[in-house]
Amino acid sequence: MTWRAALPALLVLVATACGGTPETARGTLVVSVFGYAADRVEEAVVTPFERQTGIDVVLETGGNADRLSKLRANRTAPTVDVVLMSDLYAAMGEKEGLFDTLDPARLPNLADAHAFARNPRGYGPAYTYALLGIAYRTDRLAAAPTLDRLGAAPYQGQVALPGTAVSAGVPFLLALAQAYGSGPADVEAAFRALARLEPGVLTFYNRSTELASLLDRGEVVMAPSLDIFAVDLVERGRPIAWTPPDFGRYLITNRVELVKGSPNRAMGERFIDYLLSRPVQERAATAFHDKPVNRTARLPPALTRVSGAAAADPIGAGFRPIDLDFVMRHHHAWIQRFAREIAG
Protein backbone atom coordinates (compact mmCIF):
# COMPACT_ATOMS: atom_id res chain seq x y z
CA MET A 1 0.00 0.00 0.00
CA THR A 2 2.65 2.71 0.41
CA TRP A 3 1.29 5.00 -0.51
CA ARG A 4 3.82 2.65 -1.42
CA ALA A 5 4.51 -0.14 1.05
CA ALA A 6 6.64 -0.51 0.45
CA LEU A 7 2.85 0.58 -0.71
CA PRO A 8 3.11 1.66 -1.79
CA ALA A 9 5.52 6.76 -0.43
CA LEU A 10 4.66 7.55 3.24
CA LEU A 11 5.23 10.96 4.93
CA VAL A 12 5.41 12.18 8.48
CA LEU A 13 5.06 15.92 9.02
CA VAL A 14 6.15 17.85 12.03
CA ALA A 15 5.19 21.48 12.55
CA THR A 16 6.99 23.53 15.17
CA ALA A 17 5.59 27.02 14.73
CA CYS A 18 2.80 28.80 12.98
CA GLY A 19 2.01 32.46 12.53
CA GLY A 20 0.07 34.85 10.34
CA THR A 21 -2.89 34.07 8.14
CA PRO A 22 -3.27 30.70 6.36
CA GLU A 23 -1.99 32.36 3.18
CA THR A 24 1.21 33.58 4.83
CA ALA A 25 1.75 30.90 7.47
CA ARG A 26 5.36 30.41 8.59
CA GLY A 27 6.61 27.33 10.36
CA THR A 28 8.35 24.01 9.94
CA LEU A 29 6.84 20.65 9.13
CA VAL A 30 9.03 17.59 9.50
CA VAL A 31 7.88 15.09 6.87
CA SER A 32 8.75 11.43 7.23
CA VAL A 33 8.46 9.33 4.06
CA PHE A 34 9.14 5.79 3.01
CA GLY A 35 12.68 5.58 1.71
CA TYR A 36 11.34 4.39 -1.64
CA ALA A 37 10.87 7.37 -4.00
CA ALA A 38 11.49 9.91 -1.24
CA ASP A 39 13.30 12.20 -3.69
CA ARG A 40 10.30 12.17 -6.02
CA VAL A 41 7.92 12.84 -3.12
CA GLU A 42 9.97 15.88 -2.18
CA GLU A 43 9.97 17.21 -5.73
CA ALA A 44 6.31 16.52 -6.61
CA VAL A 45 4.58 17.10 -3.27
CA VAL A 46 6.72 18.80 -0.66
CA THR A 47 8.48 21.56 -2.61
CA PRO A 48 5.24 22.89 -4.18
CA PHE A 49 3.64 22.92 -0.72
CA GLU A 50 6.51 25.00 0.63
CA ARG A 51 6.21 27.47 -2.22
CA GLN A 52 2.44 27.70 -1.86
CA THR A 53 2.30 28.13 1.91
CA GLY A 54 5.65 29.47 3.07
CA ILE A 55 5.89 26.51 5.46
CA ASP A 56 9.29 24.80 5.54
CA VAL A 57 9.30 21.01 5.33
CA VAL A 58 12.00 18.66 6.61
CA LEU A 59 11.87 15.05 5.40
CA GLU A 60 12.35 11.92 7.48
CA THR A 61 12.33 8.37 6.14
CA GLY A 62 11.38 5.05 7.70
CA GLY A 63 9.17 2.01 7.59
CA ASN A 64 5.73 1.62 9.12
CA ALA A 65 6.78 -0.36 12.18
CA ASP A 66 9.71 1.88 13.11
CA ARG A 67 7.67 5.04 12.78
CA LEU A 68 4.78 3.64 14.78
CA SER A 69 7.23 2.67 17.53
CA LYS A 70 8.59 6.21 17.54
CA LEU A 71 5.08 7.61 17.94
CA ARG A 72 4.48 5.28 20.89
CA ALA A 73 7.73 6.33 22.55
CA ASN A 74 6.93 10.03 22.12
CA ARG A 75 3.19 9.96 22.82
CA THR A 76 3.48 12.39 25.76
CA ALA A 77 5.61 14.85 23.79
CA PRO A 78 5.03 14.29 20.06
CA THR A 79 7.88 15.14 17.74
CA VAL A 80 5.77 14.80 14.58
CA ASP A 81 2.50 16.37 13.52
CA VAL A 82 1.26 14.40 10.53
CA VAL A 83 1.97 10.79 9.61
CA LEU A 84 1.40 8.96 6.31
CA MET A 85 1.17 5.21 6.92
CA SER A 86 -0.27 2.05 5.49
CA ASP A 87 -3.85 1.48 6.60
CA LEU A 88 -3.01 -1.40 8.95
CA TYR A 89 -0.40 0.51 10.94
CA ALA A 90 -2.51 3.67 10.86
CA ALA A 91 -5.42 1.69 12.31
CA MET A 92 -3.13 0.41 15.06
CA GLY A 93 -2.19 3.98 15.89
CA GLU A 94 -5.82 5.05 15.92
CA LYS A 95 -6.71 2.24 18.32
CA GLU A 96 -3.83 3.17 20.62
CA GLY A 97 -4.88 6.82 20.76
CA LEU A 98 -1.85 8.14 18.87
CA PHE A 99 -3.87 10.08 16.27
CA ASP A 100 -6.53 12.75 16.44
CA THR A 101 -9.84 13.06 14.61
CA LEU A 102 -10.12 15.71 11.92
CA ASP A 103 -12.51 18.57 11.28
CA PRO A 104 -14.18 17.84 7.89
CA ALA A 105 -14.83 21.56 7.45
CA ARG A 106 -11.07 22.08 7.17
CA LEU A 107 -10.75 19.38 4.49
CA PRO A 108 -12.79 20.61 1.50
CA ASN A 109 -10.96 18.29 -0.89
CA LEU A 110 -12.24 15.27 1.04
CA ALA A 111 -15.60 15.78 -0.70
CA ASP A 112 -14.00 14.68 -3.98
CA ALA A 113 -12.53 11.48 -2.52
CA HIS A 114 -13.82 7.97 -3.14
CA ALA A 115 -16.05 6.74 -0.33
CA PHE A 116 -13.55 4.05 0.67
CA ALA A 117 -10.95 6.77 1.30
CA ARG A 118 -13.01 8.45 4.02
CA ASN A 119 -12.31 7.24 7.52
CA PRO A 120 -15.59 6.20 9.19
CA ARG A 121 -14.15 7.00 12.62
CA GLY A 122 -13.17 10.53 11.70
CA TYR A 123 -9.42 9.95 11.66
CA GLY A 124 -7.11 10.49 8.70
CA PRO A 125 -8.34 9.59 5.20
CA ALA A 126 -6.64 7.45 2.60
CA TYR A 127 -4.66 9.41 0.02
CA THR A 128 -3.78 6.50 -2.29
CA TYR A 129 -4.43 2.80 -2.69
CA ALA A 130 -2.94 -0.37 -4.18
CA LEU A 131 -4.53 -3.55 -5.49
CA LEU A 132 -3.68 -7.20 -4.92
CA GLY A 133 -3.18 -9.29 -8.06
CA ILE A 134 -0.54 -11.36 -9.82
CA ALA A 135 2.52 -9.91 -11.58
CA TYR A 136 3.94 -12.15 -14.28
CA ARG A 137 6.37 -12.44 -17.19
CA THR A 138 4.54 -12.04 -20.48
CA ASP A 139 7.40 -13.71 -22.37
CA ARG A 140 6.99 -16.89 -20.30
CA LEU A 141 3.22 -17.11 -19.94
CA ALA A 142 0.83 -17.01 -22.87
CA ALA A 143 -2.12 -15.95 -20.71
CA ALA A 144 -2.63 -14.15 -17.42
CA PRO A 145 -2.13 -16.59 -14.51
CA THR A 146 -4.78 -17.68 -12.04
CA LEU A 147 -4.35 -18.87 -8.47
CA ASP A 148 -4.19 -22.56 -9.35
CA ARG A 149 -1.20 -21.97 -11.63
CA LEU A 150 0.94 -20.77 -8.72
CA GLY A 151 1.50 -24.37 -7.72
CA ALA A 152 1.48 -25.94 -11.19
CA ALA A 153 4.29 -28.32 -12.05
CA PRO A 154 5.74 -26.35 -15.00
CA TYR A 155 6.47 -23.40 -12.72
CA GLN A 156 7.99 -25.17 -9.73
CA GLY A 157 10.80 -23.04 -8.32
CA GLN A 158 9.79 -20.04 -10.44
CA VAL A 159 7.15 -18.55 -8.13
CA ALA A 160 7.55 -15.96 -5.38
CA LEU A 161 4.96 -15.41 -2.65
CA PRO A 162 4.69 -12.49 -0.22
CA GLY A 163 5.60 -12.98 3.41
CA THR A 164 3.01 -11.95 5.99
CA ALA A 165 4.97 -8.83 6.96
CA VAL A 166 5.15 -7.32 3.46
CA SER A 167 2.34 -5.12 2.11
CA ALA A 168 0.84 -7.80 -0.14
CA GLY A 169 1.09 -10.50 2.53
CA VAL A 170 -2.12 -9.91 4.46
CA PRO A 171 -4.43 -9.43 1.44
CA PHE A 172 -2.90 -12.53 -0.17
CA LEU A 173 -3.57 -14.54 2.99
CA LEU A 174 -7.19 -13.37 2.99
CA ALA A 175 -7.49 -14.19 -0.70
CA LEU A 176 -6.26 -17.74 -0.08
CA ALA A 177 -8.78 -18.06 2.75
CA GLN A 178 -11.55 -16.97 0.41
CA ALA A 179 -10.40 -19.24 -2.43
CA TYR A 180 -9.80 -22.42 -0.42
CA GLY A 181 -11.91 -21.91 2.68
CA SER A 182 -15.28 -20.61 3.76
CA GLY A 183 -14.33 -16.94 3.36
CA PRO A 184 -11.62 -14.39 4.17
CA ALA A 185 -11.80 -15.18 7.88
CA ASP A 186 -10.93 -18.87 7.28
CA VAL A 187 -7.21 -18.37 7.78
CA GLU A 188 -6.72 -22.05 8.68
CA ALA A 189 -7.54 -22.89 5.06
CA ALA A 190 -5.10 -20.18 3.92
CA PHE A 191 -2.23 -21.66 5.91
CA ARG A 192 -3.02 -25.13 4.55
CA ALA A 193 -2.86 -23.67 1.04
CA LEU A 194 0.48 -22.01 1.79
CA ALA A 195 1.86 -25.33 3.03
CA ARG A 196 0.83 -26.98 -0.26
CA LEU A 197 2.41 -24.21 -2.31
CA GLU A 198 5.64 -23.96 -0.32
CA PRO A 199 7.61 -26.77 -2.07
CA GLY A 200 7.33 -24.99 -5.41
CA VAL A 201 8.17 -21.51 -4.14
CA LEU A 202 11.54 -19.99 -4.99
CA THR A 203 11.29 -17.42 -2.22
CA PHE A 204 8.90 -15.67 0.12
CA TYR A 205 9.77 -12.04 -0.54
CA ASN A 206 9.94 -9.52 2.28
CA ARG A 207 10.43 -6.37 0.21
CA SER A 208 8.63 -5.36 -2.95
CA THR A 209 11.90 -4.13 -4.44
CA GLU A 210 13.20 -7.69 -4.05
CA LEU A 211 10.27 -9.02 -6.07
CA ALA A 212 10.73 -6.40 -8.80
CA SER A 213 14.35 -7.49 -9.20
CA LEU A 214 13.44 -11.19 -9.40
CA LEU A 215 10.80 -10.51 -12.05
CA ASP A 216 13.12 -8.24 -14.01
CA ARG A 217 15.87 -10.88 -14.11
CA GLY A 218 13.42 -13.61 -15.05
CA GLU A 219 14.13 -15.74 -11.98
CA VAL A 220 10.44 -15.52 -11.09
CA VAL A 221 7.69 -16.15 -13.65
CA MET A 222 4.76 -14.99 -11.49
CA ALA A 223 4.02 -13.71 -8.02
CA PRO A 224 1.07 -12.32 -6.08
CA SER A 225 1.84 -8.62 -5.83
CA LEU A 226 0.41 -5.15 -5.44
CA ASP A 227 -0.14 -3.47 -8.79
CA ILE A 228 1.96 -0.42 -8.00
CA PHE A 229 5.22 -2.36 -8.11
CA ALA A 230 4.68 -3.48 -11.69
CA VAL A 231 4.34 0.05 -13.07
CA ASP A 232 8.04 0.93 -13.17
CA LEU A 233 8.87 -2.33 -14.95
CA VAL A 234 6.10 -1.86 -17.49
CA GLU A 235 7.17 1.74 -18.14
CA ARG A 236 10.70 0.52 -18.81
CA GLY A 237 9.39 -1.82 -21.46
CA ARG A 238 10.13 -5.01 -19.54
CA PRO A 239 7.98 -8.09 -20.40
CA ILE A 240 5.94 -7.74 -17.22
CA ALA A 241 2.19 -7.42 -16.68
CA TRP A 242 -0.16 -7.46 -13.71
CA THR A 243 -3.59 -9.06 -13.61
CA PRO A 244 -6.47 -8.80 -11.14
CA PRO A 245 -6.94 -12.01 -9.19
CA ASP A 246 -9.62 -14.61 -9.62
CA PHE A 247 -9.45 -15.43 -5.93
CA GLY A 248 -10.52 -12.43 -3.91
CA ARG A 249 -9.96 -8.82 -4.84
CA TYR A 250 -8.57 -6.69 -2.04
CA LEU A 251 -7.28 -3.15 -1.91
CA ILE A 252 -5.07 -1.58 0.72
CA THR A 253 -4.63 2.13 1.33
CA ASN A 254 -2.16 4.58 2.76
CA ARG A 255 -3.63 7.06 5.24
CA VAL A 256 -2.56 10.53 6.33
CA GLU A 257 -3.02 11.03 10.08
CA LEU A 258 -2.82 13.97 12.47
CA VAL A 259 -0.76 13.11 15.55
CA LYS A 260 -2.62 13.59 18.82
CA GLY A 261 -1.12 16.38 20.87
CA SER A 262 0.45 18.13 17.91
CA PRO A 263 0.86 21.86 18.65
CA ASN A 264 0.47 22.62 14.94
CA ARG A 265 -2.94 21.25 14.13
CA ALA A 266 -3.85 24.01 11.65
CA MET A 267 -0.75 23.41 9.53
CA GLY A 268 -1.22 19.67 9.76
CA GLU A 269 -4.80 19.83 8.51
CA ARG A 270 -3.73 22.20 5.78
CA PHE A 271 -1.21 19.69 4.51
CA ILE A 272 -3.73 16.84 4.69
CA ASP A 273 -6.21 18.77 2.57
CA TYR A 274 -3.42 19.74 0.16
CA LEU A 275 -2.48 16.07 -0.25
CA LEU A 276 -6.06 15.26 -1.31
CA SER A 277 -6.29 18.05 -3.89
CA ARG A 278 -6.53 17.25 -7.58
CA PRO A 279 -3.21 18.86 -8.66
CA VAL A 280 -1.23 17.05 -5.97
CA GLN A 281 -2.95 13.72 -6.60
CA GLU A 282 -2.15 14.04 -10.31
CA ARG A 283 1.50 14.93 -9.67
CA ALA A 284 1.88 12.00 -7.28
CA ALA A 285 0.32 9.62 -9.81
CA THR A 286 2.77 10.74 -12.49
CA ALA A 287 5.88 11.01 -10.33
CA PHE A 288 5.68 7.82 -8.25
CA HIS A 289 2.49 5.99 -9.31
CA ASP A 290 0.27 6.68 -6.29
CA LYS A 291 -3.25 6.04 -7.56
CA PRO A 292 -5.49 9.03 -6.75
CA VAL A 293 -8.38 8.79 -4.33
CA ASN A 294 -9.61 12.12 -5.71
CA ARG A 295 -12.28 11.17 -8.24
CA THR A 296 -11.64 14.27 -10.35
CA ALA A 297 -7.93 13.53 -10.86
CA ARG A 298 -6.72 12.50 -14.31
CA LEU A 299 -4.74 9.27 -14.49
CA PRO A 300 -1.42 8.92 -16.31
CA PRO A 301 -1.52 6.19 -19.01
CA ALA A 302 0.91 3.97 -17.08
CA LEU A 303 -1.59 3.33 -14.29
CA THR A 304 -4.45 2.29 -16.56
CA ARG A 305 -2.05 0.21 -18.66
CA VAL A 306 -1.20 -1.88 -15.59
CA SER A 307 -4.40 -1.82 -13.52
CA GLY A 308 -7.09 -1.24 -16.12
CA ALA A 309 -10.43 0.18 -15.00
CA ALA A 310 -9.56 -0.47 -11.34
CA ALA A 311 -7.05 2.39 -11.49
CA ALA A 312 -9.99 4.81 -11.59
CA ASP A 313 -12.76 2.83 -9.86
CA PRO A 314 -11.54 -0.10 -7.76
CA ILE A 315 -14.91 -0.71 -6.12
CA GLY A 316 -16.60 -0.86 -9.51
CA ALA A 317 -13.93 -3.39 -10.57
CA GLY A 318 -14.82 -5.64 -7.65
CA PHE A 319 -12.07 -4.74 -5.16
CA ARG A 320 -12.82 -4.24 -1.47
CA PRO A 321 -10.82 -2.93 1.52
CA ILE A 322 -9.56 -5.50 3.98
CA ASP A 323 -11.23 -5.83 7.39
CA LEU A 324 -8.65 -3.95 9.46
CA ASP A 325 -10.27 -4.77 12.82
CA PHE A 326 -10.08 -8.49 12.06
CA VAL A 327 -6.50 -8.24 10.81
CA MET A 328 -5.32 -6.24 13.82
CA ARG A 329 -6.60 -8.91 16.19
CA HIS A 330 -4.60 -11.64 14.46
CA HIS A 331 -1.70 -10.03 12.59
CA HIS A 332 1.03 -10.73 15.16
CA ALA A 333 -0.03 -14.37 15.51
CA TRP A 334 -0.06 -14.77 11.70
CA ILE A 335 3.49 -13.43 11.42
CA GLN A 336 4.69 -15.87 14.08
CA ARG A 337 2.84 -18.80 12.56
CA PHE A 338 4.11 -18.01 9.07
CA ALA A 339 7.70 -17.92 10.32
CA ARG A 340 7.25 -21.17 12.23
CA GLU A 341 5.24 -23.25 9.76
CA ILE A 342 5.95 -21.87 6.30
CA ALA A 343 9.07 -19.75 5.91
CA GLY A 344 10.95 -21.74 8.55
Side-chain angles (χ1 to χ4, degrees):
M1 118 233 125
T2 325
W3 181 256
R4 317 188 160 224
L7 128 190
L10 300 179
L11 301 102
V12 176
L13 300 181
V14 179
T16 59
C18 182
T21 67
E23 290 73 23
T24 60
R26 296 291 172 181
T28 300
L29 269 67
V30 177
V31 183
S32 175
V33 303
F34 283 125
Y36 183 82
D39 55 339
R40 288 181 277 178
V41 171
E42 182 170 11
E43 179 181 358
V45 176
V46 172
T47 299
F49 178 75
E50 292 178 315
R51 291 171 180 164
Q52 177 179 318
T53 65
I55 298 170
D56 294 325
V57 174
V58 177
L59 290 180
E60 291 183 352
T61 61
N64 282 310
D66 290 341
R67 294 188 294 136
L68 185 61
S69 294
K70 183 177 179 180
L71 288 171
R72 290 166 174 154
N74 297 322
R75 69 161 58 234
T76 58
T79 59
V80 300
D81 295 315
V82 178
V83 181
L84 280 72
M85 280 185 165
S86 68
D87 51 9
L88 176 58
Y89 285 86
M92 291 177 184
E94 292 170 8
K95 185 175 181 179
E96 294 174 29
L98 298 175
F99 302 133
D100 213 343
T101 55
L102 302 173
D103 180 359
R106 299 182 64 86
L107 305 174
N109 286 308
L110 187 59
D112 291 327
H114 285 290
F116 70 81
R118 302 168 197 169
N119 195 315
R121 295 180 174 127
Y123 292 100
Y127 64 92
T128 189
Y129 64 95
L131 308 170
L132 177 69
I134 302 178
Y136 64 100
R137 296 276 307 198
T138 56
D139 57 345
R140 302 283 294 279
L141 296 174
T146 53
L147 176 64
D148 56 350
R149 298 185 75 184
L150 291 176
Y155 310 109
Q156 294 284 308
Q158 301 176 72
V159 173
L161 299 183
T164 49
V166 76
S167 300
V170 166
F172 178 60
L173 193 69
L174 300 180
L176 288 176
Q178 184 170 332
Y180 295 111
S182 59
D186 192 355
V187 178
E188 289 297 325
F191 272 97
R192 290 195 298 269
L194 283 173
R196 292 194 301 271
L197 291 170
E198 188 274 333
V201 173
L202 174 66
T203 187
F204 289 94
Y205 65 91
N206 293 307
R207 298 186 313 277
S208 297
T209 51
E210 174 189 1
L211 173 61
S213 180
L214 290 169
L215 283 166
D216 193 22
R217 296 197 304 266
E219 295 179 43
V220 164
V221 173
M222 56 183 148
S225 166
L226 299 180
D227 59 340
I228 190 171
F229 298 108
V231 180
D232 275 331
L233 294 171
V234 171
E235 280 197 310
R236 286 166 41 203
R238 304 299 295 150
I240 305 295
W242 177 93
T243 185
D246 62 325
F247 52 89
R249 298 188 175 193
Y250 292 100
L251 67 84
I252 62 172
T253 67
N254 288 337
R255 294 182 183 177
V256 53
E257 299 276 9
L258 180 69
V259 175
K260 191 168 187 177
S262 163
N264 303 291
R265 181 183 182 98
M267 283 200 294
E269 289 183 320
R270 187 173 184 186
F271 181 84
I272 292 171
D273 188 59
Y274 164 85
L275 197 62
L276 298 174
S277 67
R278 174 177 172 172
V280 178
Q281 293 263 293
E282 290 178 346
R283 287 200 301 269
T286 299
F288 43 87
H289 314 314
D290 272 4
K291 284 187 293 302
V293 299
N294 188 312
R295 294 168 297 174
T296 70
R298 293 167 297 184
L299 298 176
L303 295 187
T304 53
R305 190 181 312 137
V306 170
S307 308
D313 183 10
I315 302 301
F319 286 87
R320 296 291 183 271
I322 63 176
D323 183 342
L324 292 171
D325 289 331
F326 171 69
V327 173
M328 279 193 294
R329 291 196 300 271
H330 303 285
H331 189 230
H332 182 67
W334 292 346
I335 291 175
Q336 291 184 318
R337 183 175 178 180
F338 180 84
R340 182 176 65 251
E341 299 180 11
I342 308 299

